[in-house]
Amino acid sequence: MHMYAMDNNDFMPWPNWGNNYGPGWLYKPVGGRPPDPLKSNEWQYNRSGSLLEYLKQRQVYNCPLDRTNAVSG
């Protein structure tokens, strides 16, 4: 987050809650809701978060306590 802010005039990325206007830190909302990871036509929105450029590994978004293999959730 700090690297993002330094590269963007000390502004933090948009949040993902209540966001209908652009990419948040994690994803770009689809009609005011999170993209569905099970719909292939919405995968592009999952990969358009503001911090994705800085956090290249998908695993950093996963909770370390989550031991499931489920895609959605």
Short mmCIF file of all heavy atoms in Angstrom, two decimals:
data_model
loop_
_atom_site.label_atom_id
_atom_site.label_comp_id
_atom_site.label_asym_id
_atom_site.label_seq_id
_atom_site.Cartn_x
_atom_site.Cartn_y
_atom_site.Cartn_z
N MET A 1 0.84 -1.18 0.00
CA MET A 1 0.00 0.00 0.00
C MET A 1 0.89 1.25 0.00
O MET A 1 0.59 2.21 -0.69
CB MET A 1 -0.91 -0.03 1.22
CG MET A 1 -1.87 1.09 1.31
SD MET A 1 -3.48 0.88 0.57
CE MET A 1 -4.09 -0.55 1.33
N HIS A 2 1.96 1.19 0.75
CA HIS A 2 2.86 2.33 0.84
C HIS A 2 3.51 2.61 -0.52
O HIS A 2 3.61 3.76 -0.95
CB HIS A 2 3.92 2.10 1.91
CG HIS A 2 4.83 3.24 2.13
ND1 HIS A 2 4.43 4.41 2.72
CD2 HIS A 2 6.13 3.41 1.82
CE1 HIS A 2 5.44 5.25 2.78
NE2 HIS A 2 6.48 4.66 2.23
N MET A 3 3.94 1.57 -1.21
CA MET A 3 4.56 1.76 -2.53
C MET A 3 3.55 2.33 -3.51
O MET A 3 3.88 3.20 -4.31
CB MET A 3 5.12 0.43 -3.05
CG MET A 3 6.32 -0.03 -2.27
SD MET A 3 7.17 -1.51 -2.89
CE MET A 3 5.96 -2.46 -3.71
N TYR A 4 2.31 1.85 -3.45
CA TYR A 4 1.27 2.38 -4.33
C TYR A 4 1.08 3.87 -4.08
O TYR A 4 1.03 4.67 -5.01
CB TYR A 4 -0.05 1.63 -4.12
CG TYR A 4 -1.19 2.20 -4.95
CD1 TYR A 4 -1.42 1.73 -6.23
CD2 TYR A 4 -1.99 3.22 -4.46
CE1 TYR A 4 -2.44 2.26 -7.00
CE2 TYR A 4 -3.02 3.75 -5.22
CZ TYR A 4 -3.23 3.26 -6.49
OH TYR A 4 -4.24 3.80 -7.25
N ALA A 5 0.95 4.25 -2.82
CA ALA A 5 0.74 5.66 -2.48
C ALA A 5 1.91 6.53 -2.93
O ALA A 5 1.72 7.63 -3.45
CB ALA A 5 0.51 5.81 -0.98
N MET A 6 3.12 6.03 -2.77
CA MET A 6 4.30 6.81 -3.21
C MET A 6 4.27 7.03 -4.73
O MET A 6 4.68 8.09 -5.21
CB MET A 6 5.58 6.11 -2.79
CG MET A 6 5.84 6.20 -1.31
SD MET A 6 7.37 5.39 -0.82
CE MET A 6 8.58 6.38 -1.68
N ASP A 7 3.80 6.06 -5.47
CA ASP A 7 3.74 6.17 -6.93
C ASP A 7 2.54 6.96 -7.42
O ASP A 7 2.46 7.27 -8.61
CB ASP A 7 3.71 4.78 -7.57
CG ASP A 7 5.02 4.05 -7.43
OD1 ASP A 7 6.04 4.70 -7.10
OD2 ASP A 7 5.04 2.82 -7.65
N ASN A 8 1.59 7.28 -6.54
CA ASN A 8 0.34 7.94 -6.95
C ASN A 8 0.04 9.19 -6.12
O ASN A 8 -1.06 9.36 -5.60
CB ASN A 8 -0.81 6.94 -6.84
CG ASN A 8 -0.70 5.86 -7.88
OD1 ASN A 8 -1.04 6.08 -9.03
ND2 ASN A 8 -0.20 4.70 -7.49
N ASN A 9 1.03 10.05 -6.02
CA ASN A 9 0.87 11.36 -5.35
C ASN A 9 0.31 11.23 -3.93
O ASN A 9 -0.51 12.04 -3.50
CB ASN A 9 -0.02 12.29 -6.17
CG ASN A 9 0.60 12.61 -7.51
OD1 ASN A 9 1.81 12.77 -7.61
ND2 ASN A 9 -0.21 12.67 -8.54
N ASP A 10 0.76 10.22 -3.21
CA ASP A 10 0.37 9.98 -1.81
C ASP A 10 -1.11 9.66 -1.64
O ASP A 10 -1.66 9.81 -0.56
CB ASP A 10 0.76 11.15 -0.91
CG ASP A 10 2.26 11.27 -0.77
OD1 ASP A 10 2.94 10.24 -0.88
OD2 ASP A 10 2.76 12.39 -0.54
N PHE A 11 -1.77 9.21 -2.70
CA PHE A 11 -3.16 8.76 -2.60
C PHE A 11 -3.19 7.25 -2.44
O PHE A 11 -2.42 6.54 -3.07
CB PHE A 11 -3.96 9.14 -3.86
CG PHE A 11 -4.29 10.59 -3.94
CD1 PHE A 11 -3.56 11.44 -4.76
CD2 PHE A 11 -5.33 11.12 -3.20
CE1 PHE A 11 -3.86 12.78 -4.84
CE2 PHE A 11 -5.64 12.46 -3.27
CZ PHE A 11 -4.91 13.30 -4.09
N MET A 12 -4.09 6.78 -1.60
CA MET A 12 -4.28 5.34 -1.42
C MET A 12 -5.26 4.85 -2.48
O MET A 12 -6.03 5.64 -3.03
CB MET A 12 -4.79 5.05 -0.03
CG MET A 12 -3.76 5.37 1.04
SD MET A 12 -4.31 5.12 2.73
CE MET A 12 -4.97 3.50 2.70
N PRO A 13 -5.26 3.55 -2.78
CA PRO A 13 -6.21 3.04 -3.78
C PRO A 13 -7.64 3.10 -3.25
O PRO A 13 -7.88 3.13 -2.04
CB PRO A 13 -5.77 1.59 -3.99
CG PRO A 13 -4.99 1.24 -2.79
CD PRO A 13 -4.39 2.50 -2.27
N TRP A 14 -8.59 3.11 -4.17
CA TRP A 14 -10.00 3.12 -3.79
C TRP A 14 -10.34 1.85 -3.03
O TRP A 14 -9.79 0.79 -3.31
CB TRP A 14 -10.89 3.20 -5.04
CG TRP A 14 -10.82 4.50 -5.75
CD1 TRP A 14 -10.19 4.73 -6.94
CD2 TRP A 14 -11.39 5.74 -5.35
NE1 TRP A 14 -10.33 6.04 -7.29
CE2 TRP A 14 -11.07 6.69 -6.33
CE3 TRP A 14 -12.13 6.16 -4.25
CZ2 TRP A 14 -11.46 8.01 -6.26
CZ3 TRP A 14 -12.54 7.49 -4.18
CH2 TRP A 14 -12.21 8.39 -5.17
N PRO A 15 -11.27 1.94 -2.09
CA PRO A 15 -11.73 0.72 -1.41
C PRO A 15 -12.63 -0.08 -2.35
O PRO A 15 -13.02 0.41 -3.41
CB PRO A 15 -12.53 1.25 -0.23
CG PRO A 15 -13.03 2.58 -0.68
CD PRO A 15 -11.97 3.13 -1.59
N ASN A 16 -12.93 -1.29 -1.99
CA ASN A 16 -13.83 -2.09 -2.81
C ASN A 16 -15.27 -2.03 -2.34
O ASN A 16 -16.16 -2.44 -3.05
CB ASN A 16 -13.34 -3.53 -2.88
CG ASN A 16 -12.22 -3.67 -3.86
OD1 ASN A 16 -11.08 -3.87 -3.48
ND2 ASN A 16 -12.51 -3.52 -5.13
N TRP A 17 -15.54 -1.56 -1.15
CA TRP A 17 -16.93 -1.45 -0.68
C TRP A 17 -17.50 -0.11 -1.14
O TRP A 17 -16.82 0.91 -1.15
CB TRP A 17 -17.01 -1.58 0.83
CG TRP A 17 -16.21 -0.56 1.56
CD1 TRP A 17 -16.62 0.69 1.95
CD2 TRP A 17 -14.86 -0.66 1.97
NE1 TRP A 17 -15.61 1.37 2.58
CE2 TRP A 17 -14.50 0.55 2.60
CE3 TRP A 17 -13.88 -1.65 1.86
CZ2 TRP A 17 -13.25 0.79 3.13
CZ3 TRP A 17 -12.64 -1.40 2.39
CH2 TRP A 17 -12.33 -0.21 3.01
N GLY A 18 -18.74 -0.11 -1.59
CA GLY A 18 -19.40 1.11 -2.04
C GLY A 18 -18.72 1.77 -3.22
O GLY A 18 -18.74 2.98 -3.37
N ASN A 19 -18.10 1.00 -4.07
CA ASN A 19 -17.31 1.52 -5.17
C ASN A 19 -17.97 1.16 -6.49
O ASN A 19 -18.00 0.01 -6.88
CB ASN A 19 -15.90 0.92 -5.09
CG ASN A 19 -14.99 1.39 -6.19
OD1 ASN A 19 -15.41 2.04 -7.14
ND2 ASN A 19 -13.73 1.06 -6.08
N ASN A 20 -18.50 2.15 -7.19
CA ASN A 20 -19.11 1.94 -8.50
C ASN A 20 -18.35 2.65 -9.61
O ASN A 20 -18.81 2.72 -10.73
CB ASN A 20 -20.56 2.45 -8.51
CG ASN A 20 -21.45 1.65 -7.61
OD1 ASN A 20 -21.28 0.44 -7.48
ND2 ASN A 20 -22.39 2.31 -6.97
N TYR A 21 -17.19 3.18 -9.32
CA TYR A 21 -16.53 4.07 -10.28
C TYR A 21 -15.19 3.59 -10.79
O TYR A 21 -14.71 4.10 -11.77
CB TYR A 21 -16.36 5.46 -9.66
CG TYR A 21 -16.03 5.43 -8.21
CD1 TYR A 21 -14.76 5.22 -7.76
CD2 TYR A 21 -17.05 5.59 -7.28
CE1 TYR A 21 -14.48 5.19 -6.41
CE2 TYR A 21 -16.77 5.55 -5.92
CZ TYR A 21 -15.49 5.36 -5.50
OH TYR A 21 -15.22 5.31 -4.16
N GLY A 22 -14.55 2.67 -10.18
CA GLY A 22 -13.26 2.27 -10.71
C GLY A 22 -12.63 1.14 -9.93
O GLY A 22 -13.23 0.63 -8.98
N PRO A 23 -11.43 0.75 -10.32
CA PRO A 23 -10.80 -0.37 -9.63
C PRO A 23 -10.45 -0.01 -8.19
O PRO A 23 -9.93 1.05 -7.91
CB PRO A 23 -9.54 -0.64 -10.45
CG PRO A 23 -9.28 0.61 -11.20
CD PRO A 23 -10.60 1.28 -11.38
N GLY A 24 -10.78 -0.91 -7.30
CA GLY A 24 -10.39 -0.77 -5.91
C GLY A 24 -9.04 -1.44 -5.70
O GLY A 24 -8.37 -1.84 -6.65
N TRP A 25 -8.65 -1.61 -4.46
CA TRP A 25 -7.34 -2.20 -4.20
C TRP A 25 -7.28 -3.67 -4.59
O TRP A 25 -6.23 -4.17 -4.97
CB TRP A 25 -6.95 -2.02 -2.73
CG TRP A 25 -7.78 -2.82 -1.78
CD1 TRP A 25 -8.97 -2.46 -1.23
CD2 TRP A 25 -7.50 -4.13 -1.32
NE1 TRP A 25 -9.45 -3.46 -0.43
CE2 TRP A 25 -8.56 -4.51 -0.46
CE3 TRP A 25 -6.47 -5.04 -1.53
CZ2 TRP A 25 -8.61 -5.73 0.17
CZ3 TRP A 25 -6.53 -6.26 -0.89
CH2 TRP A 25 -7.58 -6.60 -0.05
N LEU A 26 -8.43 -4.36 -4.57
CA LEU A 26 -8.43 -5.79 -4.85
C LEU A 26 -9.00 -6.15 -6.21
O LEU A 26 -8.48 -7.02 -6.89
CB LEU A 26 -9.23 -6.51 -3.75
CG LEU A 26 -9.33 -8.02 -3.84
CD1 LEU A 26 -7.95 -8.66 -3.85
CD2 LEU A 26 -10.14 -8.55 -2.67
N TYR A 27 -10.07 -5.50 -6.63
CA TYR A 27 -10.73 -5.83 -7.90
C TYR A 27 -11.49 -4.61 -8.42
O TYR A 27 -11.65 -3.62 -7.73
CB TYR A 27 -11.71 -7.00 -7.72
CG TYR A 27 -12.75 -6.77 -6.65
CD1 TYR A 27 -13.87 -5.98 -6.91
CD2 TYR A 27 -12.61 -7.30 -5.38
CE1 TYR A 27 -14.82 -5.74 -5.92
CE2 TYR A 27 -13.55 -7.07 -4.40
CZ TYR A 27 -14.65 -6.28 -4.68
OH TYR A 27 -15.58 -6.04 -3.71
N LYS A 28 -11.97 -4.72 -9.66
CA LYS A 28 -12.83 -3.70 -10.23
C LYS A 28 -14.27 -4.17 -10.09
O LYS A 28 -14.61 -5.26 -10.54
CB LYS A 28 -12.50 -3.46 -11.70
CG LYS A 28 -13.32 -2.36 -12.31
CD LYS A 28 -12.87 -2.04 -13.71
CE LYS A 28 -13.71 -0.89 -14.25
NZ LYS A 28 -13.29 -0.52 -15.58
N PRO A 29 -15.14 -3.38 -9.43
CA PRO A 29 -16.53 -3.81 -9.24
C PRO A 29 -17.27 -3.98 -10.57
O PRO A 29 -17.00 -3.31 -11.55
CB PRO A 29 -17.15 -2.67 -8.44
CG PRO A 29 -16.01 -1.94 -7.86
CD PRO A 29 -14.87 -2.10 -8.80
N VAL A 30 -18.21 -4.90 -10.56
CA VAL A 30 -19.06 -5.16 -11.72
C VAL A 30 -20.47 -4.77 -11.31
O VAL A 30 -21.13 -5.49 -10.55
CB VAL A 30 -19.02 -6.65 -12.12
CG1 VAL A 30 -19.90 -6.89 -13.34
CG2 VAL A 30 -17.61 -7.10 -12.37
N GLY A 31 -20.95 -3.63 -11.75
CA GLY A 31 -22.29 -3.18 -11.39
C GLY A 31 -22.46 -2.98 -9.89
O GLY A 31 -23.52 -3.27 -9.35
N GLY A 32 -21.40 -2.56 -9.19
CA GLY A 32 -21.48 -2.31 -7.77
C GLY A 32 -21.30 -3.53 -6.89
O GLY A 32 -21.47 -3.47 -5.69
N ARG A 33 -20.93 -4.67 -7.47
CA ARG A 33 -20.72 -5.89 -6.69
C ARG A 33 -19.36 -6.49 -7.06
O ARG A 33 -18.78 -6.16 -8.09
CB ARG A 33 -21.83 -6.91 -6.98
CG ARG A 33 -21.83 -7.38 -8.42
CD ARG A 33 -22.77 -8.56 -8.65
NE ARG A 33 -22.80 -8.92 -10.03
CZ ARG A 33 -21.87 -9.58 -10.69
NH1 ARG A 33 -20.77 -9.97 -10.09
NH2 ARG A 33 -21.99 -9.87 -11.97
N PRO A 34 -18.85 -7.36 -6.22
CA PRO A 34 -17.59 -8.02 -6.56
C PRO A 34 -17.75 -8.94 -7.76
O PRO A 34 -18.82 -9.50 -7.97
CB PRO A 34 -17.26 -8.85 -5.32
CG PRO A 34 -18.12 -8.32 -4.24
CD PRO A 34 -19.32 -7.70 -4.90
N PRO A 35 -16.71 -9.09 -8.57
CA PRO A 35 -16.80 -10.04 -9.69
C PRO A 35 -16.91 -11.47 -9.17
O PRO A 35 -16.36 -11.82 -8.14
CB PRO A 35 -15.49 -9.83 -10.45
CG PRO A 35 -14.61 -9.09 -9.53
CD PRO A 35 -15.44 -8.42 -8.52
N ASP A 36 -17.64 -12.29 -9.89
CA ASP A 36 -17.84 -13.69 -9.53
C ASP A 36 -16.67 -14.51 -10.06
O ASP A 36 -16.47 -14.58 -11.27
CB ASP A 36 -19.16 -14.19 -10.12
CG ASP A 36 -19.54 -15.57 -9.66
OD1 ASP A 36 -18.64 -16.32 -9.20
OD2 ASP A 36 -20.72 -15.92 -9.75
N PRO A 37 -15.89 -15.15 -9.19
CA PRO A 37 -14.73 -15.92 -9.66
C PRO A 37 -15.11 -17.16 -10.46
O PRO A 37 -14.27 -17.76 -11.11
CB PRO A 37 -14.01 -16.30 -8.37
CG PRO A 37 -15.02 -16.21 -7.31
CD PRO A 37 -16.01 -15.18 -7.74
N LEU A 38 -16.38 -17.54 -10.44
CA LEU A 38 -16.81 -18.72 -11.19
C LEU A 38 -17.28 -18.38 -12.60
O LEU A 38 -17.52 -19.27 -13.40
CB LEU A 38 -17.92 -19.45 -10.43
CG LEU A 38 -17.53 -19.93 -9.03
CD1 LEU A 38 -18.72 -20.58 -8.36
CD2 LEU A 38 -16.34 -20.87 -9.09
N LYS A 39 -17.41 -17.10 -12.92
CA LYS A 39 -17.84 -16.67 -14.26
C LYS A 39 -16.61 -16.21 -15.04
O LYS A 39 -15.98 -15.21 -14.70
CB LYS A 39 -18.84 -15.52 -14.17
CG LYS A 39 -20.16 -15.92 -13.56
CD LYS A 39 -21.10 -14.74 -13.55
CE LYS A 39 -22.44 -15.13 -12.95
NZ LYS A 39 -23.33 -13.96 -12.84
N SER A 40 -16.28 -16.93 -16.10
CA SER A 40 -15.06 -16.62 -16.85
C SER A 40 -15.11 -15.24 -17.51
O SER A 40 -14.07 -14.63 -17.73
CB SER A 40 -14.79 -17.70 -17.90
OG SER A 40 -15.87 -17.76 -18.82
N ASN A 41 -16.31 -14.72 -17.79
CA ASN A 41 -16.38 -13.39 -18.41
C ASN A 41 -16.12 -12.28 -17.38
O ASN A 41 -16.03 -11.11 -17.76
CB ASN A 41 -17.74 -13.17 -19.08
CG ASN A 41 -18.90 -13.22 -18.10
OD1 ASN A 41 -18.82 -13.88 -17.07
ND2 ASN A 41 -19.96 -12.53 -18.43
N GLU A 42 -15.96 -12.61 -16.11
CA GLU A 42 -15.66 -11.60 -15.08
C GLU A 42 -14.25 -11.74 -14.52
O GLU A 42 -13.85 -11.00 -13.64
CB GLU A 42 -16.70 -11.68 -13.95
CG GLU A 42 -18.08 -11.28 -14.40
CD GLU A 42 -19.07 -11.17 -13.26
OE1 GLU A 42 -18.68 -11.29 -12.08
OE2 GLU A 42 -20.27 -10.98 -13.56
N TRP A 43 -13.46 -12.68 -15.04
CA TRP A 43 -12.10 -12.86 -14.54
C TRP A 43 -11.26 -11.61 -14.73
O TRP A 43 -10.39 -11.32 -13.91
CB TRP A 43 -11.44 -14.03 -15.23
CG TRP A 43 -11.95 -15.36 -14.77
CD1 TRP A 43 -12.78 -15.61 -13.71
CD2 TRP A 43 -11.70 -16.62 -15.37
NE1 TRP A 43 -13.05 -16.94 -13.60
CE2 TRP A 43 -12.41 -17.59 -14.63
CE3 TRP A 43 -10.96 -17.02 -16.46
CZ2 TRP A 43 -12.36 -18.94 -14.94
CZ3 TRP A 43 -10.93 -18.36 -16.77
CH2 TRP A 43 -11.63 -19.31 -16.02
N GLN A 44 -11.50 -10.87 -15.79
CA GLN A 44 -10.71 -9.66 -16.05
C GLN A 44 -10.86 -8.65 -14.92
O GLN A 44 -9.93 -7.90 -14.62
CB GLN A 44 -11.12 -9.04 -17.37
CG GLN A 44 -12.57 -8.56 -17.36
CD GLN A 44 -13.03 -8.12 -18.72
OE1 GLN A 44 -12.25 -8.03 -19.64
NE2 GLN A 44 -14.31 -7.84 -18.85
N TYR A 45 -12.02 -8.62 -14.27
CA TYR A 45 -12.24 -7.67 -13.18
C TYR A 45 -11.52 -8.11 -11.91
O TYR A 45 -11.13 -7.28 -11.10
CB TYR A 45 -13.74 -7.52 -12.91
CG TYR A 45 -14.49 -7.04 -14.12
CD1 TYR A 45 -15.33 -7.88 -14.83
CD2 TYR A 45 -14.35 -5.72 -14.55
CE1 TYR A 45 -16.01 -7.44 -15.95
CE2 TYR A 45 -15.02 -5.27 -15.68
CZ TYR A 45 -15.85 -6.14 -16.37
OH TYR A 45 -16.50 -5.68 -17.48
N ASN A 46 -11.35 -9.42 -11.74
CA ASN A 46 -10.59 -9.91 -10.60
C ASN A 46 -9.12 -9.56 -10.72
O ASN A 46 -8.42 -9.44 -9.73
CB ASN A 46 -10.72 -11.43 -10.47
CG ASN A 46 -11.99 -11.85 -9.78
OD1 ASN A 46 -12.44 -11.18 -8.87
ND2 ASN A 46 -12.57 -12.94 -10.22
N ARG A 47 -8.64 -9.40 -11.92
CA ARG A 47 -7.23 -9.13 -12.16
C ARG A 47 -6.95 -7.65 -12.41
O ARG A 47 -5.92 -7.32 -12.98
CB ARG A 47 -6.76 -9.95 -13.36
CG ARG A 47 -6.86 -11.43 -13.11
CD ARG A 47 -6.26 -12.21 -14.26
NE ARG A 47 -6.41 -13.64 -14.02
CZ ARG A 47 -7.16 -14.43 -14.74
NH1 ARG A 47 -7.82 -13.97 -15.77
NH2 ARG A 47 -7.24 -15.71 -14.46
N SER A 48 -7.85 -6.78 -12.01
CA SER A 48 -7.64 -5.36 -12.28
C SER A 48 -7.55 -4.52 -11.02
O SER A 48 -7.77 -3.32 -11.06
CB SER A 48 -8.77 -4.84 -13.18
OG SER A 48 -10.01 -4.96 -12.53
N GLY A 49 -7.23 -5.12 -9.89
CA GLY A 49 -7.07 -4.36 -8.65
C GLY A 49 -5.84 -3.46 -8.70
O GLY A 49 -4.85 -3.76 -9.37
N SER A 50 -5.90 -2.38 -7.99
CA SER A 50 -4.81 -1.40 -7.99
C SER A 50 -3.50 -1.94 -7.42
O SER A 50 -2.43 -1.51 -7.83
CB SER A 50 -5.22 -0.17 -7.20
OG SER A 50 -6.34 0.43 -7.76
N LEU A 51 -3.58 -2.85 -6.48
CA LEU A 51 -2.36 -3.37 -5.85
C LEU A 51 -1.78 -4.59 -6.55
O LEU A 51 -0.72 -5.08 -6.18
CB LEU A 51 -2.62 -3.68 -4.38
CG LEU A 51 -2.99 -2.50 -3.51
CD1 LEU A 51 -3.12 -2.92 -2.07
CD2 LEU A 51 -1.99 -1.37 -3.65
N LEU A 52 -2.47 -5.09 -7.57
CA LEU A 52 -1.99 -6.29 -8.26
C LEU A 52 -0.60 -6.08 -8.87
O LEU A 52 0.22 -6.99 -8.88
CB LEU A 52 -2.98 -6.72 -9.35
CG LEU A 52 -2.69 -8.04 -10.03
CD1 LEU A 52 -2.74 -9.18 -9.01
CD2 LEU A 52 -3.68 -8.31 -11.14
N GLU A 53 -0.32 -4.89 -9.32
CA GLU A 53 0.99 -4.57 -9.90
C GLU A 53 2.10 -4.73 -8.86
O GLU A 53 3.23 -5.07 -9.19
CB GLU A 53 0.98 -3.14 -10.43
CG GLU A 53 2.28 -2.69 -11.04
CD GLU A 53 2.19 -1.27 -11.53
OE1 GLU A 53 1.10 -0.76 -11.81
OE2 GLU A 53 3.27 -0.64 -11.63
N TYR A 54 1.78 -4.50 -7.60
CA TYR A 54 2.76 -4.57 -6.53
C TYR A 54 2.80 -5.94 -5.85
O TYR A 54 3.81 -6.33 -5.30
CB TYR A 54 2.46 -3.50 -5.48
CG TYR A 54 2.48 -2.12 -6.07
CD1 TYR A 54 1.32 -1.52 -6.54
CD2 TYR A 54 3.68 -1.43 -6.20
CE1 TYR A 54 1.36 -0.26 -7.11
CE2 TYR A 54 3.72 -0.16 -6.77
CZ TYR A 54 2.55 0.41 -7.22
OH TYR A 54 2.58 1.65 -7.80
N LEU A 55 1.67 -6.63 -5.87
CA LEU A 55 1.56 -7.95 -5.24
C LEU A 55 1.34 -8.98 -6.33
O LEU A 55 0.22 -9.30 -6.69
CB LEU A 55 0.39 -7.98 -4.25
CG LEU A 55 0.44 -6.92 -3.16
CD1 LEU A 55 -0.85 -6.91 -2.38
CD2 LEU A 55 1.62 -7.15 -2.25
N LYS A 56 2.40 -9.49 -6.89
CA LYS A 56 2.33 -10.36 -8.07
C LYS A 56 1.78 -11.75 -7.75
O LYS A 56 1.22 -12.41 -8.60
CB LYS A 56 3.70 -10.51 -8.70
CG LYS A 56 4.39 -9.20 -9.02
CD LYS A 56 4.08 -8.76 -10.38
CE LYS A 56 4.91 -7.50 -10.68
NZ LYS A 56 4.34 -6.68 -11.64
N GLN A 57 1.92 -12.21 -6.53
CA GLN A 57 1.48 -13.55 -6.16
C GLN A 57 0.05 -13.53 -5.67
O GLN A 57 -0.29 -12.79 -4.76
CB GLN A 57 2.38 -14.11 -5.06
CG GLN A 57 3.82 -14.27 -5.46
CD GLN A 57 4.00 -15.32 -6.53
OE1 GLN A 57 3.32 -16.34 -6.52
NE2 GLN A 57 4.92 -15.07 -7.44
N ARG A 58 -0.80 -14.35 -6.24
CA ARG A 58 -2.20 -14.44 -5.83
C ARG A 58 -2.34 -14.90 -4.38
O ARG A 58 -3.27 -14.54 -3.69
CB ARG A 58 -2.93 -15.40 -6.77
CG ARG A 58 -4.40 -15.52 -6.47
CD ARG A 58 -5.04 -16.60 -7.33
NE ARG A 58 -6.41 -16.78 -6.99
CZ ARG A 58 -6.85 -17.54 -5.99
NH1 ARG A 58 -6.00 -18.16 -5.22
NH2 ARG A 58 -8.13 -17.67 -5.75
N GLN A 59 -1.40 -15.67 -3.90
CA GLN A 59 -1.49 -16.24 -2.56
C GLN A 59 -1.51 -15.17 -1.46
O GLN A 59 -2.00 -15.42 -0.37
CB GLN A 59 -0.32 -17.20 -2.31
CG GLN A 59 -0.40 -18.47 -3.11
CD GLN A 59 0.13 -18.31 -4.53
OE1 GLN A 59 0.58 -17.25 -4.93
NE2 GLN A 59 0.06 -19.38 -5.31
N VAL A 60 -0.98 -13.98 -1.71
CA VAL A 60 -0.97 -12.96 -0.66
C VAL A 60 -2.38 -12.46 -0.36
O VAL A 60 -2.61 -11.86 0.69
CB VAL A 60 -0.06 -11.75 -1.02
CG1 VAL A 60 1.37 -12.20 -1.18
CG2 VAL A 60 -0.55 -11.03 -2.24
N TYR A 61 -3.33 -12.71 -1.24
CA TYR A 61 -4.72 -12.31 -1.01
C TYR A 61 -5.49 -13.34 -0.17
O TYR A 61 -6.58 -13.07 0.29
CB TYR A 61 -5.46 -12.10 -2.33
CG TYR A 61 -4.97 -10.92 -3.11
CD1 TYR A 61 -4.32 -11.09 -4.33
CD2 TYR A 61 -5.17 -9.63 -2.65
CE1 TYR A 61 -3.89 -10.00 -5.05
CE2 TYR A 61 -4.73 -8.53 -3.37
CZ TYR A 61 -4.09 -8.73 -4.57
OH TYR A 61 -3.66 -7.66 -5.28
N ASN A 62 -4.93 -14.52 0.00
CA ASN A 62 -5.61 -15.58 0.73
C ASN A 62 -5.32 -15.47 2.22
O ASN A 62 -4.20 -15.20 2.63
CB ASN A 62 -5.16 -16.96 0.25
CG ASN A 62 -5.52 -17.22 -1.19
OD1 ASN A 62 -6.35 -16.52 -1.76
ND2 ASN A 62 -4.90 -18.21 -1.78
N CYS A 63 -6.33 -15.74 3.01
CA CYS A 63 -6.17 -15.79 4.46
C CYS A 63 -5.35 -17.02 4.82
O CYS A 63 -5.64 -18.12 4.35
CB CYS A 63 -7.53 -15.83 5.13
SG CYS A 63 -7.43 -16.03 6.92
N PRO A 64 -4.32 -16.89 5.64
CA PRO A 64 -3.51 -18.06 6.00
C PRO A 64 -4.28 -19.11 6.78
O PRO A 64 -3.89 -20.27 6.83
CB PRO A 64 -2.37 -17.49 6.84
CG PRO A 64 -2.71 -16.09 7.13
CD PRO A 64 -3.82 -15.66 6.23
N LEU A 65 -5.40 -18.73 7.39
CA LEU A 65 -6.21 -19.70 8.14
C LEU A 65 -7.20 -20.45 7.27
O LEU A 65 -7.79 -21.42 7.72
CB LEU A 65 -6.97 -18.98 9.27
CG LEU A 65 -6.08 -18.31 10.32
CD1 LEU A 65 -6.94 -17.58 11.32
CD2 LEU A 65 -5.19 -19.34 10.99
N ASP A 66 -7.37 -20.02 6.02
CA ASP A 66 -8.31 -20.69 5.11
C ASP A 66 -7.63 -21.91 4.53
O ASP A 66 -6.70 -21.81 3.75
CB ASP A 66 -8.73 -19.73 4.00
CG ASP A 66 -9.77 -20.34 3.09
OD1 ASP A 66 -10.32 -21.41 3.42
OD2 ASP A 66 -10.06 -19.73 2.05
N ARG A 67 -8.13 -23.07 4.89
CA ARG A 67 -7.55 -24.33 4.42
C ARG A 67 -8.43 -25.03 3.41
O ARG A 67 -8.24 -26.21 3.13
CB ARG A 67 -7.30 -25.26 5.60
CG ARG A 67 -6.43 -24.67 6.68
CD ARG A 67 -4.99 -24.71 6.27
NE ARG A 67 -4.17 -24.24 7.39
CZ ARG A 67 -3.17 -23.41 7.24
NH1 ARG A 67 -2.84 -22.97 6.07
NH2 ARG A 67 -2.46 -23.04 8.29
N THR A 68 -9.39 -24.33 2.83
CA THR A 68 -10.30 -24.96 1.88
C THR A 68 -9.71 -24.91 0.48
O THR A 68 -8.81 -24.13 0.19
CB THR A 68 -11.67 -24.26 1.85
OG1 THR A 68 -11.49 -22.93 1.34
CG2 THR A 68 -12.29 -24.20 3.21
N ASN A 69 -10.26 -25.70 -0.40
CA ASN A 69 -9.87 -25.69 -1.80
C ASN A 69 -10.93 -25.02 -2.66
O ASN A 69 -10.87 -25.07 -3.87
CB ASN A 69 -9.64 -27.11 -2.31
CG ASN A 69 -8.39 -27.71 -1.71
OD1 ASN A 69 -7.42 -27.01 -1.48
ND2 ASN A 69 -8.42 -29.00 -1.44
N ALA A 70 -11.93 -24.42 -2.03
CA ALA A 70 -13.03 -23.79 -2.76
C ALA A 70 -12.55 -22.53 -3.47
O ALA A 70 -11.79 -21.74 -2.91
CB ALA A 70 -14.16 -23.44 -1.81
N VAL A 71 -13.00 -22.33 -4.71
CA VAL A 71 -12.63 -21.15 -5.48
C VAL A 71 -13.38 -19.93 -4.98
O VAL A 71 -12.81 -18.86 -4.81
CB VAL A 71 -12.93 -21.38 -6.98
CG1 VAL A 71 -12.68 -20.11 -7.76
CG2 VAL A 71 -12.12 -22.51 -7.52
N SER A 72 -14.66 -20.06 -4.77
CA SER A 72 -15.49 -18.92 -4.38
C SER A 72 -15.49 -18.77 -2.86
O SER A 72 -15.39 -19.73 -2.13
CB SER A 72 -16.92 -19.13 -4.86
OG SER A 72 -17.69 -18.01 -4.57
N GLY A 73 -15.62 -17.53 -2.41
CA GLY A 73 -15.73 -17.34 -0.99
C GLY A 73 -14.85 -16.28 -0.52
O GLY A 73 -14.73 -15.77 0.48
#
